[in-house]
Each structure stands twice: as C-alpha cells, then as structure tokens.
Amino acid sequence: MVQEGKIKPEYAETEQAAECRVEMFDSLDKDKPDQKRTEAMKKIFLKAAASPSSEWANPRPQQLLRICRTLNAEELIILGTAYRLFKTRTREEVEKSSRGADQWPDYIAGASQNLVSAGIVDFYEDDLVKKKLIGDRDHSDRSGVRLAHQCRLTNLAIELCKYLQE
C-alpha cells in the first residue's frame, strides 16, 4: 500500500499503524470471514493512514477498529442505513418513524434497499443494544425506543458511521 501511494511511508512506521495492522490481521486470522466487516476495517485503516501526521498518535482508529471487529455485515448495514436516515431526513421524520419499537425494524428494512428484512433488523437489535450502538427499548411495555431523534443511534454509533462515511 505504501508503494501504491495509499499509505504514507512515515505512517507505516508509527505505533498507530502497527496497532491497526495487528487488529486487522487478528480479525482475518481469528474471526469468521466477513467481507463487509473487512472492508469497513480497511476504510478505518486507510483513513487513519491518510490523516495528517499530527493525528498519528490518536488512539481513535484502533478503538474504532476494535468496535468494528465485533460487528457483522448485517449489523453494519443496519447501522449504515440508520445513519443515512439520521443524516438525510429531518429530525421530526426520523423521530416519528423511529419512535415505536415495532416501527423501527420496518423503517430500517425499507430504507436498506432490500439488504436486510425487518426480521433481520429485529434479530440483531439486542446485540446492537448490548454493544451500545443503538438505544434500548423504553417504557414498561418496551413499546418505545430511546434516541428516536437519532434513529436510535448512540453517539458511539454516530462517531463510527461518520468515520466510515467521510
């Protein structure tokens, strides 16, 4: 990648680059293969490599790589779809469509361009809540959701998605 000009030669020697490489290689070596996750991790690494040298000591890329490593393709699609809706729709539209726990899977599935179904969104909901990437259900009957105004995305999820989108 250095020879192709994708990574600055000086960056390849930094501690950040070494930590990111280890995380990526560990993922390839130890995790179940997942092309979408690998692509997301590669994006994080390349963005870090292209950043100004003053950012090379920042631990953020390694932190985001570790989080990304815990995600599968479906979870990345769900988060990416929610982020796109959060960024392109008005706050009122997002909140109205995300307010009910039973509405949110349909909202995400419909906006995902048939990449995930409502059932798949529902299946991965608890895992995304446990990973602190979407807000949990709310109310005693669990009919509402937290963070409806952000399409349920937590600040961490927004940070991750923003990093992957830029």
Side-chain angles (χ1 to χ4, degrees), residues 24 26-39 41 69 71-74:
M24 289 180 63
D26 276 353
S27 175
L28 292 170
D29 189 42
K30 297 175 183 172
D31 300 341
K32 181 180 173 188
D34 188 312
Q35 184 175 350
K36 190 146 187 78
R37 179 183 56 231
T38 301
E39 288 172 13
M41 292 178 73
R69 186 175 171 189
L71 301 172
N72 62 39
E74 291 79 12

Side-chain angles (χ1 to χ4, degrees), residues 57-77:
N58 188 335
R60 186 176 178 209
Q62 298 101 294
Q63 294 163 348
L64 294 177
L65 273 171
R66 281 187 207 108
I67 292 164
C68 191
R69 186 175 171 189
T70 70
L71 301 172
N72 62 39
E74 291 79 12
E75 291 169 324
L76 286 165
I77 291 167

Side-chain angles (χ1 to χ4, degrees), residues 125-151:
E125 178 183 11
D126 289 340
D127 291 338
L128 290 169
V129 168
K130 285 177 190 166
K131 293 174 185 178
K132 309 267 189 235
L133 295 171
I134 64 169
D136 202 355
R137 291 184 178 216
D138 210 2
H139 307 308
S140 59
D141 64 356
R142 298 184 44 83
S143 63
V145 294
R146 294 188 182 133
L147 304 173
H149 65 286
Q150 294 180 179
C151 203

Side-chain angles (χ1 to χ4, degrees), residues 8-162:
K8 298 173 187 173
E10 306 84 34
Y11 177 76
E13 303 303 319
T14 67
E15 184 178 329
Q16 183 187 76
E19 291 287 328
C20 288
R21 278 194 308 267
V22 166
E23 196 69 36
M24 289 180 63
F25 290 141
D26 276 353
S27 175
L28 292 170
D29 189 42
K30 297 175 183 172
D31 300 341
K32 181 180 173 188
D34 188 312
Q35 184 175 350
K36 190 146 187 78
R37 179 183 56 231
T38 301
E39 288 172 13
M41 292 178 73
K42 183 178 172 183
K43 268 187 192 178
I44 293 169
F45 178 74
L46 291 175
K47 182 172 179 172
S51 66
S53 59
S54 60
E55 290 291 314
W56 292 351
N58 188 335
R60 186 176 178 209
Q62 298 101 294
Q63 294 163 348
L64 294 177
L65 273 171
R66 281 187 207 108
I67 292 164
C68 191
R69 186 175 171 189
T70 70
L71 301 172
N72 62 39
E74 291 79 12
E75 291 169 324
L76 286 165
I77 291 167
I78 292 165
L79 292 174
T81 301
Y83 183 72
R84 184 171 41 81
L85 292 169
F86 168 68
K87 295 300 288 179
T88 60
R89 306 270 169 97
T90 67
R91 180 183 172 119
E92 292 78 23
E93 288 174 316
V94 169
E95 189 165 4
K96 183 178 178 186
S97 299
S98 300
R99 187 176 299 137
D102 59 337
Q103 295 171 312
W104 190 74
D106 290 324
Y107 185 50
I108 297 300
S112 76
Q113 300 160 344
N114 294 320
L115 294 174
V116 290
S117 67
I120 295 293
V121 175
D122 195 41
F123 180 82
Y124 286 106
E125 178 183 11
D126 289 340
D127 291 338
L128 290 169
V129 168
K130 285 177 190 166
K131 293 174 185 178
K132 309 267 189 235
L133 295 171
I134 64 169
D136 202 355
R137 291 184 178 216
D138 210 2
H139 307 308
S140 59
D141 64 356
R142 298 184 44 83
S143 63
V145 294
R146 294 188 182 133
L147 304 173
H149 65 286
Q150 294 180 179
C151 203
R152 292 187 72 180
L153 296 171
T154 64
N155 291 337
L156 175 59
I158 291 170
E159 180 182 358
L160 175 64
C161 291
K162 183 177 179 183

